[in-house]
Amino acid sequence: EYPPAAKAVSASGSVSVQVTIDEEGRVITASAVSGHPLLRSAAQTAALGARFEPTLLAGAAVKVSGILTYNFVP
């Protein structure tokens, strides 16, 4: 969701969020690493709500980490 404070000042752009995804595909940690300060919290919240297919390594589900990028356009 686009934060009202960010919308009021026409903040836009990309926010990169470092995430850890568990063996069931749930995001268990999310930390914004770049992007407009008024958009970081919304990006972290979105990342924590994301769900993925489990990542398999040699047939077994494993925990993985990576970067998600959210683009905000007013």
Side-chain angles (χ1 to χ4, degrees), residues 4-48:
K7 198 174 213 177
V9 297
S10 298
S12 63
S14 298
V15 178
S16 295
V17 181
Q18 174 74 42
V19 296
T20 302
I21 302 167
D22 71 9
E23 295 85 353
E24 296 177 5
R26 295 180 304 227
V27 176
I28 55 174
T29 65
S31 177
V33 295
S34 70
H36 194 288
L38 291 176
L39 300 172
R40 288 181 177 207
S41 179
Q44 284 178 196
T45 299
L48 287 168

Side-chain angles (χ1 to χ4, degrees), residues 1-2 11-17 35 39 42-43 46 68-74:
E1 189 172 319
Y2 209 102
S12 63
S14 298
V15 178
S16 295
V17 181
L39 300 172
L68 298 178
T69 302
Y70 290 90
N71 295 309
F72 290 87
V73 179

